[in-house]
Amino acid sequence: MSTTSDAPSVPARDPAAGEATVPADGPRPVVPALLLLALGIAGIVLSIRLPILEENGAGPGLWPLLICIVMTATAAVVVLCPPLRVAIPTARRDVLRVVGALVLLGGFAVLLPAIGLVSTSIIVGALWLRLLTRDSWATSLGVPAGVALVLYVIFVKLLEVPVPVDAWLPR
Amino acid sequence: MTGIEGLIDGLSVALTPTNLLLVLIGVVIGMIVGVLPGLGPTATIAMLLPVTFTLDPASAVIMLAGIYYGAMYGGTVTAVLVKVPGEVASVVTTFDGYVLATKGRAGSALGVAAIGSFVGGLLSVVFLVALAQPVANLASEFGPPELFLIALLGLLLVLAIASGSLIKAALMASLGLLITTVGQDPLAGSPRFTFGSLELLGGLDIVAVAMGVFGIGEALSQLTRHDPPITPVGVRSAFPTRADLRASRGPILRGSVIGSVLGVIPGSGGVIPPMASYAVERRLAKDPSRFGKGAIEGVAGPETANNAGSQTSFLPLLTLGLPTSMVMALMFGALLLQGITPGPTLVTDHPDVFWGIIASMLLGNIILLVLNLPLAGVFAQLLRIRPSVIGIVTILVTLLGVYSIGNSVFDVWTAIVAGAIGFALTRAGFELGPLVLAAILGPLLEKNLRISLTMGDGSAAIFVERPIAVVLCVLIVLAVASASVKVLRNRRRPRTGGLQARLDSFHLEPSTEADTGNLTDAHAAEDPKSKRTALDDEPRAADPVQVARRAEQ
């Protein structure tokens, strides 16, 4: 977790140390807070459409309304107070790595019900290790295969959890 | 039922072959997780929640509890051998433990830590047994207004003691609460924020969110870190000398008390008990200047407090239904998944669960002592595992575990989106702990709030008409006031780092560079090609709490 401060002046720190820095005013660090602010406002609007109070107590809209008011207020403070808008700088190649990772994770979600646990794990794991973390082919294939087989034994054979199993494996 | 009778009953639950095996599995996994950088007990427990579906409630929490306090033992190994705390609670151990390792006394440090943790674990069980029934009796007077207030108090205390920005922690907590409102209204059953989607009508599975945030989020963070391989200092086994044991007696006993008492405070997490113990030992030492230069007391006391606190933190959860930390929130979730709501009625409705968990801690600590003393060196070799391998294992276990919750691809997508958002929020400087804690408490808060208002015919006066509720309201006001003071104080002076702030709060002045400066792996990121050994570090200012929290989350 980053170390942040509400103090108006915080010295910039070494980003390689993984600590937060206070950037010069820029749009990027404020985007998450703005999105949360928008979410809070949208939540207030949607909550008001639900019954807030009913004759014998609170309606379904009261609790989300209270939450969204707090969310909007705190998000507004974060947007408006520069020292709170800190971010850990991320190199472009790391951003691309994360995007690639998310694509692979989406691929897992699509492939798992289609081709089963072991094949999906090997494909996704191999691509992850080879393309994202630049491991050797031996590691990229061996580790996912080993993990997949262990998961198969634990989840399918021992715990009898109904997960999709490859056609070539016994259930 | 008295505490002793309960403990005996609990032992009959814990000593079954299945539960003994689960204790063993839990503590071994916990040790491994505690040693490995980048994977903390929180993420591991989140990932293994689906596995607990197939277990009965007592067995499920026994295993998960074993992971938690096993990780306390494991985190010590890296703290001593590599000066990288395996989890946050071991930060303080790096001060003196690592120096001892550089002097060839790693075995003593690890041995004293293991013995201290064992004694602290045992004495904390005595503390639990003594207090569990009286607290549960008090909590049996709780109704919906008190249950709402105590859950709110727990959430506010966690925010008040959060190490990062309070405003941002509150924002994350509100996001976590909002997540739980998607789906069906818990009382009337009417759809809320579903936008016509059948999947959303079932709500966003909190377990999937937690697993995504911690499991997938950690794996994504690992992709952006460039830590060099770690070569631990060689150590075969961990047997301290007689002189070390004599010197550690007092710190271990004091650490047991300090940890047991502070562990029940919401928000103290794993950090405050060992830090308080370190401050006490330093104050009591005849020669405080030894601290930071390899004082065995600086390892014995904090490690004892660390483990004692990790176990007594179960007390508010089991008796009041109040999770005091992220890990306890996940334990809360694990019991909810089993159809059990932790709280005042747990000891009467499910005594096997209640006492079984407490009794299993006795066994778990025995197993950990037996494993640690001869095998510390073996566990240390786990540090050679590449972070990329840890990452892919985390990913595959998380994704399959999420799917197995409800055989739903929607849950997998929920976890992926939660992981992506969690990663982005972390980079933007937000803490995710309050988000998940609030998400787990959300349904409890809403349900009890609305029932309370119904009891009061729509009036909030019910929260100040009942004596216990009034006391809780006062505590809430104090928590808010404390948080406000913290924000105002931070505005007046800049903090120089999480650890320094903690040391300041205990009036500790670092007398040596080792106290604050000689704690790092951060500089390694600047030179990814360097192969760093435990003896290569140069003093460089860094925030070890950050390093450990990165490992934790």
Side-chain angles (χ1 to χ4, degrees), chain A residues 54-81:
Chain A
E54 291 172 340
E55 44 180 78
N56 58 349
L62 176 66
W63 181 244
L65 177 64
L66 293 172
I67 294 167
C68 290
I69 290 173
V70 172
M71 176 181 276
T72 304
T74 49
V77 171
V78 174
V79 167
L80 297 172
C81 290

Side-chain angles (χ1 to χ4, degrees), chain A residues 1-11 13-14 16-20 29 32-33 36 39 43 46-47 50 54 56-64 66-68 70-71 74-75 77-78 81 84-90 93-94 97-98 101-102 105-106 108-110 112-113 117 121 124-125 128-129 132-135 139 143-144 147-148 151 155 159 161-164, chain B residues 51 54 148 163-168 170-172 174-175 177-178 180-181 185 190-193 195 216 219-220 222-224 226 386 388-389 391-393 395-397 399-401 403-404 407 409 412-413 416 420 423-432 442 445-446 449-450 453-454 457-458 487 490-491 493-498 522 525-526 540 542-543 546 549-550 553:
Chain A
M1 258 182 287
S2 58
T3 299
T4 64
S5 170
D6 297 332
S9 60
V10 176
R13 303 211 187 128
D14 184 355
E19 296 181 305
L36 290 168
L39 183 64
L46 291 171
S47 299
L50 297 168
E54 291 172 340
N56 58 349
L62 176 66
W63 181 244
L66 293 172
I67 294 167
C68 290
V70 172
M71 176 181 276
T74 49
V77 171
V78 174
C81 290
L84 291 175
R85 297 202 309 261
V86 294
I88 300 171
T90 309
R93 66 171 179 191
D94 289 337
R97 238 183 232 136
V98 170
L102 290 172
L105 295 178
F108 186 101
V110 170
L112 177 65
L117 161 65
S121 298
V124 171
W128 182 290
L129 289 173
L132 300 183
T133 60
R134 304 285 180 198
D135 282 275
T139 302
V143 170
V147 172
L151 290 176
F155 278 84
L159 299 178
V161 177
V163 295
Chain B
V51 173
T54 59
F148 168 76
S163 63
S165 161
L166 177 63
I167 300 291
K168 295 172 93 166
L171 177 54
M172 287 297 97
S174 57
L175 178 61
L177 291 173
L178 187 63
T180 65
T181 61
D185 168 21
S190 49
R192 205 163 49 177
F193 307 140
F195 308 105
I216 294 176
L220 294 177
Q222 188 269 323
L223 287 175
T224 63
H226 305 285
R386 295 170 60 91
S388 58
V389 171
I392 195 58
V393 171
I395 284 289
L396 294 177
V397 171
L399 291 176
L400 183 63
Y403 181 87
S404 68
N407 296 335
V409 175
V412 177
W413 285 111
I416 293 171
F423 171 78
L425 288 173
T426 303
R427 304 306 281 189
F430 290 93
E431 294 185 30
L432 298 179
L445 283 163
E446 179 180 10
L449 171 66
R450 292 174 64 182
L453 290 175
T454 301
D457 292 325
V487 169
N490 284 344
R491 285 194 181 281
R493 62 176 173 87
R495 294 191 306 183
T496 55
E526 295 178 349
R540 179 95 56 107
D543 185 347
Q546 280 228 31
R549 284 199 190 277
R550 219 172 56 213
Q553 293 193 355

Side-chain angles (χ1 to χ4, degrees), chain B residues 158-521:
Chain B
V158 170
L159 296 183
I161 308 177
S163 63
S165 161
L166 177 63
I167 300 291
K168 295 172 93 166
L171 177 54
M172 287 297 97
S174 57
L175 178 61
L177 291 173
L178 187 63
I179 288 171
T180 65
T181 61
V182 176
Q184 286 182 298
D185 168 21
L187 295 186
S190 49
R192 205 163 49 177
F193 307 140
T194 60
F195 308 105
S197 161
L198 274 177
E199 281 93 356
L200 286 179
L201 187 65
L204 295 172
D205 195 294
I206 298 308
V207 173
V209 170
M211 291 174 73
V213 164
F214 292 124
I216 294 176
E218 169 54 32
L220 294 177
S221 293
Q222 188 269 323
L223 287 175
T224 63
R225 293 198 292 265
H226 305 285
D227 302 329
I230 296 173
T231 304
V233 172
V235 61
R236 283 195 206 148
S237 63
F239 289 99
T241 63
R242 277 193 193 172
D244 287 334
L245 285 174
R246 265 198 308 273
S248 303
R249 259 193 321 230
I252 286 175
L253 288 173
R254 286 186 290 270
S256 300
V257 174
I258 291 169
S260 296
V261 171
L262 294 181
V264 300
I265 297 176
S268 69
V271 183
I272 292 183
M275 286 190 165
S277 174
Y278 191 87
V280 165
E281 294 311 318
R282 196 168 161 163
R283 246 179 232 292
L284 294 176
K286 288 179 188 166
D287 180 13
S289 68
R290 290 186 305 111
F291 281 71
K293 296 176 186 168
I296 197 68
E297 299 91 326
V299 173
E303 282 297 317
T304 305
N306 174 9
N307 196 44
S310 72
Q311 293 183 174
T312 58
S313 62
F314 279 84
L315 183 67
L317 173 71
L318 297 178
T319 56
L320 303 174
L322 178 64
T324 55
S325 66
M326 272 318 310
V327 170
M328 291 304 120
L330 291 171
M331 298 292 180
F332 188 100
L335 284 168
L336 281 181
L337 289 172
Q338 300 279 348
I340 295 177
T341 302
T345 59
L346 183 67
V347 67
T348 47
D349 292 348
H350 302 278
D352 56 328
V353 175
F354 187 93
W355 293 109
I357 293 169
I358 294 176
S360 71
M361 293 178 187
L362 276 174
L363 306 173
N365 277 284
I366 294 171
I367 294 172
L368 281 164
L369 183 68
V370 168
L371 286 177
N372 266 269
L373 288 179
L375 297 177
V378 173
F379 279 104
Q381 298 309 309
L382 292 171
L383 289 165
R384 297 177 187 270
I385 297 177
R386 295 170 60 91
S388 58
V389 171
I390 298 171
I392 195 58
V393 171
T394 302
I395 284 289
L396 294 177
V397 171
T398 299
L399 291 176
L400 183 63
V402 168
Y403 181 87
S404 68
I405 294 172
N407 296 335
S408 164
V409 175
F410 180 74
D411 288 336
V412 177
W413 285 111
T414 300
I416 293 171
V417 171
I421 292 174
F423 171 78
L425 288 173
T426 303
R427 304 306 281 189
F430 290 93
E431 294 185 30
L432 298 179
L435 186 154
V436 177
L437 179 64
I440 288 178
L441 288 177
L444 192 73
L445 283 163
E446 179 180 10
K447 188 181 85 168
N448 285 304
L449 171 66
R450 292 174 64 182
I451 293 175
S452 300
L453 290 175
T454 301
M455 286 167 64
D457 292 325
S459 166
I462 192 168
F463 294 110
V464 294
E465 288 171 356
R466 298 154 69 103
I468 298 177
V470 170
V471 172
L472 292 171
C473 286
V474 169
L475 291 174
I476 287 172
V477 169
L478 288 174
V480 172
S482 157
S484 306
V485 165
K486 176 185 167 186
V487 169
L488 290 171
R489 196 166 56 191
N490 284 344
R491 285 194 181 281
R492 283 200 213 109
R493 62 176 173 87
R495 294 191 306 183
T496 55
L499 181 60
Q500 184 63 49
R502 294 278 185 216
L503 289 173
D504 286 349
S505 71
F506 291 111
H507 307 292
L508 269 181
E509 293 181 21
S511 61
T512 68
E513 197 168 19
D515 282 344
T516 54
N518 218 0
L519 305 160
T520 181
D521 79 337

